[in-house]
Amino acid sequence: MIIRLTQKLAKKIKVAPATAFPFHKNPLLDWTANMFMVSRWQCIIITNSHCLYSVLLAGRGLSSESAFIDEGMTALREQMTLDGALQIYDSQIAPHIDSISFCKTNDRRVLGSMNELVFLAKCDLLEIGLPIELVNIRLNETPMSMVRHHNPKLSLLALAKPKI
């Protein structure tokens, strides 16, 4: 499993990421993570590099690699459970959590799309005052141009379907 980190997040969790790797053969095992501020509150967004399926979590207290992995994968599992994709998590993502490799980000399209998701999250959190659980749902139901104007949730489900 690959998690691509921005410099800011790598510094926070004290990881020296390797040079950017090519995309993973299994698109469900390639994720990008970024840290951003909402007022004075640190947030982390973890986004699938292919379908833009995302989860937000609080960055407070995540100052090590193991804490980031534990909290990030817990948040991802909870969000996928809410979206009816728990079977995808349990069968295709969870078995690979022990073999996570960190590297630098390499795709500007993914980072650009993540910046759009961060902007939407900030609006939902600050302007509307939604709880983080509802913000996650809204982010994954927002049509994105990178996935041909489908939403990330549907794109995740399409990635998980077996190819015939």
Side-chain angles (χ1 to χ4, degrees):
M1 181 172 197
I2 297 172
I3 299 181
R4 302 169 190 282
L5 301 173
T6 60
Q7 288 180 342
K8 194 183 322 181
L9 180 57
K11 185 177 177 182
K12 177 180 176 49
I13 63 172
K14 300 171 185 80
V15 170
T19 306
F21 300 145
F23 284 114
H24 198 286
K25 289 180 271 185
N26 180 349
L28 293 170
L29 298 179
D30 199 315
W31 298 80
T32 303
N34 188 14
M35 184 179 76
F36 63 97
M37 299 297 288
V38 177
S39 188
R40 294 175 150 188
W41 187 49
Q42 286 182 341
C43 281
I44 294 174
I45 184 169
I46 302 172
T47 302
N48 182 275
S49 303
H50 295 275
C51 69
L52 303 179
Y53 187 85
S54 301
V55 63
L56 290 178
L57 58 145
R60 185 173 185 212
L62 299 182
S63 58
S64 70
E65 177 182 337
S66 60
F68 170 74
I69 292 170
D70 291 344
E71 292 296 319
M73 294 302 112
T74 299
L76 183 61
R77 186 178 197 283
E78 289 172 1
Q79 186 58 44
M80 291 181 88
T81 301
L82 290 174
D83 286 335
L86 179 61
Q87 197 276 333
I88 296 169
Y89 180 87
D90 287 341
S91 66
Q92 298 192 41
I93 297 172
H96 302 280
I97 290 175
D98 293 335
S99 62
I100 290 177
S101 299
F102 292 105
C103 71
K104 295 178 181 179
T105 58
N106 68 342
D107 192 337
R108 289 183 181 201
R109 294 177 319 133
V110 175
L111 289 174
S113 296
M114 286 178 76
N115 286 337
E116 289 179 39
L117 292 169
V118 165
F119 178 77
L120 292 170
K122 285 181 177 182
C123 289
D124 285 350
L125 291 167
L126 289 175
E127 304 292 326
I128 302 173
L130 292 177
I132 202 163
E133 297 82 11
L134 289 179
V135 174
N136 282 330
I137 291 169
R138 286 174 52 108
L139 291 180
N140 290 317
E141 291 178 350
T142 301
M144 300 294 292
S145 61
M146 187 176 143
V147 289
R148 296 190 169 110
H149 300 286
H150 295 293
N151 67 46
K153 179 181 169 183
L154 293 177
S155 297
L156 174 80
L157 298 174
L159 274 181
K161 284 185 182 177
K163 310 280 189 278
I164 298 174

